[in-house]
Amino acid sequence: MASISLKQIQKSFGEVEVVKGLDLEIPNGQFTVLVGPSGCGKTTTLRMIAGLETVDSGVIQIGDKDVTKLEPKDRDVAMVFQNYALYAHLSVADNIGFPLRSKGVKKEEISSRVAEVAASLGISELLKRKPKELSGGQQQRVAIGRAIIRNPQVFLFDEPLSNLDAKLRLEMRTEIIRLQRRLGTTAVYVTHDQEEAMTLSDVMVVMKDGVIKQLGKPDDIYKKPVDVFVAEFVGSPKMNLVKGHASAGNFTAQSGFQIKVDPKLSGEITLGIRPEDVKITNKDASSTQGKVEILEQLGPRAILTIQSGNQQITAVVDNENLKQITDKTNISINSHLEDHHYFETSTGKRLN
Ligand code: ATP
């Protein structure tokens, strides 16, 4: 286990600067997830920590050691890739034991370590098979096994679950959480999936265009996104973001949509309301009016797409609160002021 420190890391490919002076401190044992849209520089950042990519400037430390110029093999990190990267001609046992064999560890010790790691991942019965005889989830377990067996200071995960189907992805996610809790190894995990980031991370790092937009506990970021980009990126369905004008506690959108807001606000603002914070009532003349256009049932909850004048609003409602509501029902929309997110429209920055 070790901490990781990135100081002013910069990287360009040709003319394009893809990581722009990144500072990041990851304490010992923390599970950090780098998340952001495609092309924001998260994989490049991970590969620079691994030593698979050089840095143009800046310093990378693992523990007390400056590893900026060290080869990957000298950094004591283990990386798990999206495409598993297993050796096709080797059995599962030999794939898992490979890092120990290349270090010259004795055969008997390798066998017992392989057996131990395979048992911890629930793949003991697969040890004799070749990778092509395994499902995607089993192959990813083998790849994780090969990383664990080295007992590295740091685990690096590059979208390890994206090739798996939805059900397996959920299972493996839980397994990775369990594994990291048990081993306590410092981990950096890259994904473009905000839900995966929310569930896995101790600390979530939201990136865009080569810079960190926000860093913190997933719940804190969810509750207080620093700008409209983070507000929209984190959470599903997406936060409703409506541009308009605030005055004397009333908000009027460019679309004509109106709702009560904090009376202290004035001028051009962007109002954010998470779908689960949109309150639906049967028609009530004093509230904002709307009509349910689409109602999507999701087991205990439903997603409503509501049209209010020219404004579309998404709401997530517990089934028990749906009562008489179906699509095409006229309804009223409310929200609690404490659930509102306010942003400056010109800069996108959070106001409250
Ligand atoms: P994704 O989720 O799509 O993998 P990402 O956030 O991980 O995205 P990176 O893979 O770090 O993004 O890539 C950042 C930018 O750098 C992208 O525009 C990409 O096209 C570019 N890039 C990455 N590797 C190279 C390379 N070896 N040569 C040139 N450009 C590269």
Side-chain angles (χ1 to χ4, degrees), residues 227-248:
D227 61 16
V228 287
F229 166 76
V230 179
E232 208 171 17
F233 186 76
V234 175
S236 175
K238 282 185 183 164
M239 183 189 283
N240 296 290
L241 286 167
V242 186
K243 286 182 185 163
H245 187 86
S247 169

Side-chain angles (χ1 to χ4, degrees), residues 326-343:
T326 60
D327 46 359
K328 311 299 173 213
T329 310
N330 289 317
I331 46 140
S332 297
I333 303 171
N334 266 318
S335 60
H336 298 304
L337 296 194
E338 63 270 24
D339 293 332
H340 285 179
H341 304 255
Y342 302 123
F343 304 96

Side-chain angles (χ1 to χ4, degrees), residues 29-278:
Q30 182 174 286
F31 199 121
T32 302
V33 179
L34 309 183
V35 65
S38 186
C40 71
K42 49 197 190 299
T43 298
T44 305
T45 303
L46 194 77
R47 289 173 61 82
M48 288 192 287
I49 299 173
L52 297 170
E53 206 70 76
T54 56
V55 303
D56 291 346
S57 61
V59 176
I60 302 178
Q61 267 184 301
I62 297 181
D64 297 331
K65 203 163 151 192
D66 182 342
V67 301
T68 318
K69 296 210 160 62
L70 293 187
E71 292 292 320
K73 65 177 174 41
D74 300 325
R75 296 193 181 198
D76 202 5
V77 302
M79 191 147 165
V80 178
F81 299 91
Q82 174 178 353
N83 62 4
Y84 322 130
L86 299 176
Y87 300 109
H89 62 289
L90 296 183
S91 66
V92 166
D94 288 344
N95 263 289
I96 296 176
F98 190 85
L100 299 189
R101 224 175 27 255
S102 51
K103 272 194 195 162
V105 177
K106 286 207 187 89
K107 238 180 159 181
E108 302 74 51
E109 191 184 337
I110 296 177
S111 300
S112 82
R113 292 283 306 282
V114 167
E116 195 184 307
V117 166
S120 76
L121 292 165
I123 50 173
S124 303
E125 73 286 6
L126 306 176
L127 287 174
K128 292 205 173 81
R129 291 202 203 165
K130 295 275 169 60
K132 68 172 185 315
E133 297 162 333
L134 304 176
S135 70
Q138 291 167 335
Q139 289 188 45
Q140 195 51 291
R141 281 193 175 85
V142 177
I144 292 171
R146 191 177 53 186
I148 296 173
I149 203 162
R150 291 175 47 188
N151 233 340
Q153 298 245 51
V154 170
F155 284 132
L156 302 175
F157 295 96
D158 189 6
E159 305 240 10
L161 308 184
S162 16
N163 284 355
L164 306 178
D165 65 42
K167 181 169 170 283
L168 206 51
R169 209 152 57 218
L170 288 185
E171 278 175 33
M172 286 298 291
R173 201 158 82 184
T174 315
E175 215 155 291
I176 288 176
I177 295 172
R178 201 176 289 138
L179 195 70
Q180 207 267 345
R181 293 227 177 103
R182 182 164 60 81
L183 301 173
T185 310
T186 313
V188 187
Y189 187 108
V190 160
T191 179
H192 61 271
D193 179 341
Q194 59 86 29
E195 190 185 302
E196 201 166 287
M198 293 281 290
T199 49
L200 281 172
S201 49
D202 295 326
V203 164
M204 183 160 105
V205 180
V206 184
M207 292 180 66
K208 185 184 179 228
D209 298 337
V211 299
I212 295 176
K213 282 285 181 180
Q214 191 167 6
L215 175 156
K217 290 187 184 149
D219 197 45
D220 292 345
I221 293 181
Y222 188 81
K223 286 186 180 139
K224 277 204 162 207
V226 291
D227 61 16
V228 287
F229 166 76
V230 179
E232 208 171 17
F233 186 76
V234 175
S236 175
K238 282 185 183 164
M239 183 189 283
N240 296 290
L241 286 167
V242 186
K243 286 182 185 163
H245 187 86
S247 169
N250 292 309
F251 173 83
T252 308
Q254 289 155 6
S255 60
F257 174 80
Q258 289 191 325
I259 201 158
K260 298 272 178 225
V261 292
D262 184 337
K264 290 195 286 293
L265 290 166
S266 67
E268 298 306 306
I269 65 157
T270 299
L271 166 66
I273 310 178
R274 294 225 175 262
E276 62 272 27
D277 294 329
V278 175

